[in-house]
Structures are given as C-alpha cells and as structure tokens.
Amino acid sequence: MLLTFYLLFIGLPVSEGCTLENRGRPLFITARTGESVLLPCYCTDHVPPDAFLWVKENTDSNEWEEVSSESGQYRDRVQLVNGHSPGNLSLLISHLTEEDGGNYRCEVKGSGYTDIRLTVEGCNLEKTDITQYITARTGGSALLSCYCTDLHTKPETFTWKKLNTNTNMYEEISGGKGQYRDRVQLVNGHSPGNLSLLMSHLTEEDGGFYLCELKGNKRTYIKLTVEEGSTKTTTSTAITASFQTPVSTASQTPSMHLSIVILVVLLLGLLLLGGVVYWRYRGTNRHTG
C-alpha cells in the first residue's frame, strides 16, 4: 500500500556512498490536517545513494510498509523534493489527514535509516457537550456557530445537517437547491477552523435542530427558533446570546445617575434660596416692627 522510491545511478563514479544526517536519532514533527509537511532526510556529503525508500509503520501488523504516490492512502499526495541536490531525500506529504500521523523511516542502502514521528492534529470542536439555542425573526439572518478549538486547523471534511422531523433523520443542507437555495453560506473568512453557517431570509420552516458534523463522529448541535416579527432582534446563545448588540443597560446607568444627582442639587439649591429669602423677609419685618 506504500511505496518505494528507488534511485539507481548508472554510470556514476564509485564513491563512499551517502552518510545520513540524524542516523539512528528520531525526529518529531507536528502538523495540522489540510496542511503539507516535509519529512527531512539528507546525505551529509550530498552524495546520492545507490538506493533508498520511505516506509511507514503499520500499527496493526507492526510491519513497515512502503509509501506510494500511485495508490492507496497517499495517491497523488507525496513527492520527493530533492531539486538539484541529489543528497536530499526528503519527502513532502500534502493535504494531511489524521491517518497520516505515525512513524516514518527513510532507509538508505548501506547507510542505515532515519526515523520520524509525525503527529497530525485534527479539528476538535468547541461546545460539543451542549446544545446552542438561537432565536431569530422571519426575514432576518442567523449565524449557526461551529468552530475548531484551533482556528488554524482545517478539518478534512464537514457537513451541516438539519433534523427531518418526519423521518427523525438528519439531512444535509445544500445552498444550491431546495429549501436553502441561495440562502446559506459559510463565513470562515481567513480562519479555516471557522465552520459557521450564515442563513438569510429566514422563514418559520427554517426553525429546528441543526448539526455541524466532522469526520470521526465529532458534532455540535444547535436549536434554531424562528419567530414572526421585526427583523431587528436576532439572538443566539449557548443559553441565549445576542447577535445584534442591544443598547446596554449598563451604559445607561451612569447617565441616569447623573440626571438624578443634578435634580437633587437643583432641589437643594431651591430650598436654600427659599430659606435665604425667608430669613431676609423675616429680618425686615422685625426691623419694621
């Protein structure tokens, strides 16, 4: 299932052969799903080896299997990147999946091998243990939130589904046909780990249970309620949070306090003025009397 990369150099002068860097010392590399990774393997003296191959450990059989770009797991995803350096035996793996993680080995005839431990980190969803509750208005829009905990991690595949209450089965949502034609779109922007779905021109029929699902049974659930009324208020929470930021009562409180203080000062001023006038009037009456 994995293949061999052999380089046979015919007519080259006899040399001492390739001396591997990091021979017998394991390397540890971490990458993310969807990215590319370079597994390094070099001859220190830039002398091309007579033959070499890349293999990966099969954890089920504990045997080493050849890595191939022609078939199986690595079809059209692996290539050598030696360029103009015949002693560069490095392997490039593109469009990484979580299954690509494991132990790799670069074996060189007559020179030993270099081991590499590759860890491929996949998308782990936020809020998988709770159901998000969203309330929106007919004619408005709603954002169904779904995120990888690491926004730089791109999942291999993911789908949005809605519960069909007639069949009690979740069915995939498509923006190209049916109920959601031209009304749904992904809003990831520059964050591959943002899988959120924006729904526009909402109808009451859009209400229900939604599911953001990744490979490996990773899911997050959302309950959308669509009510008739003004489109100005759309709320969304894991319990309930606002999509459109309402006027904060906290921001109103200081101005209310200031108004009360000013009113109290004015009243006290009036009372003080009345007292002064009263005492002057009383004093004038005494002198007159």
Side-chain angles (χ1 to χ4, degrees):
M1 180 176 169
L2 284 111
L3 20 169
T4 308
F5 296 96
Y6 286 105
L7 292 181
L8 300 178
F9 298 90
I10 301 175
L12 293 177
V14 177
S15 66
E16 294 182 359
C18 167
T19 301
L20 277 177
E21 286 188 5
N22 300 310
R23 182 173 59 179
R25 290 181 297 172
L27 302 177
F28 297 90
I29 298 177
T30 300
R32 299 186 182 97
T33 54
E35 296 181 341
S36 299
V37 68
L38 184 69
L39 307 185
C41 185
Y42 300 97
C43 299
T44 57
D45 46 13
H46 305 290
V47 175
D50 292 334
F52 74 97
L53 71 159
W54 277 95
V55 293
K56 182 186 179 185
E57 184 181 20
N58 185 323
T59 54
D60 294 326
S61 63
N62 293 324
E63 295 181 354
W64 293 91
E65 299 176 345
E66 299 173 4
V67 177
S68 170
S69 63
E70 301 300 326
S71 61
Q73 177 182 345
Y74 298 95
R75 179 183 291 275
D76 300 326
R77 296 197 300 118
V78 295
Q79 62 178 327
L80 296 175
V81 290
N82 60 327
H84 300 288
S85 302
N88 183 356
L89 318 177
S90 302
L91 184 70
L92 179 68
I93 306 177
S94 304
H95 309 295
L96 286 169
T97 67
E98 291 186 64
E99 289 76 13
D100 291 332
N103 295 318
Y104 290 80
R105 176 172 289 178
C106 173
E107 293 185 354
V108 175
K109 182 180 179 181
S111 298
Y113 56 84
T114 294
D115 284 337
I116 298 174
R117 173 66 178 177
L118 174 62
T119 300
V120 180
E121 296 179 342
C123 171
N124 293 311
L125 289 177
E126 290 187 345
K127 300 178 180 178
T128 57
D129 56 343
I130 59 175
T131 298
Q132 300 178 61
Y133 292 86
I134 298 175
T135 301
R137 303 291 184 182
T138 53
S141 300
L143 184 67
L144 309 187
S145 299
C146 185
Y147 298 93
C148 300
T149 52
D150 181 353
L151 288 177
H152 297 288
T153 300
K154 180 181 179 181
E156 298 173 36
T157 59
F158 72 96
T159 55
W160 275 97
K161 298 180 180 180
K162 184 186 179 185
L163 180 65
N164 184 325
T165 54
N166 295 323
T167 63
N168 203 32
M169 300 285 291
Y170 278 92
E171 299 176 350
E172 187 171 347
I173 295 174
S174 172
K177 60 181 180 180
Q179 175 184 348
Y180 300 96
R181 179 187 292 274
D182 301 326
R183 296 198 299 120
V184 296
Q185 62 178 335
L186 297 175
V187 290
N188 61 332
H190 300 288
S191 300
N194 183 356
L195 318 178
S196 301
L197 185 72
L198 179 65
M199 300 179 61
S200 304
H201 310 295
L202 291 170
T203 66
E204 289 189 65
E205 290 74 20
D206 292 331
F209 285 93
Y210 289 81
L211 171 67
C212 174
E213 185 174 44
L214 276 66
K215 183 178 179 181
N217 294 322
K218 300 176 181 178
R219 303 183 180 97
T220 186
Y221 294 90
I222 297 173
K223 174 65 166 67
L224 173 63
T225 301
V226 181
E227 302 175 344
E228 289 189 8
S230 170
T231 61
K232 293 183 180 180
T233 55
T234 302
T235 59
S236 163
T237 60
I239 299 209
T240 297
S242 173
F243 275 106
Q244 297 182 4
T245 305
V247 178
S248 171
T249 55
S251 63
Q252 295 177 349
T253 303
S255 58
M256 292 175 62
H257 288 174
L258 181 61
S259 299
I260 293 172
V261 170
I262 293 175
L263 182 60
V264 171
V265 170
L266 288 175
L267 290 174
L268 290 176
L270 289 174
L271 289 173
L272 181 62
L273 180 62
V276 171
V277 171
Y278 171 77
W279 286 110
R280 285 186 176 182
Y281 175 77
R282 185 175 178 181
T284 302
N285 287 341
R286 285 179 178 177
H287 289 303
T288 302

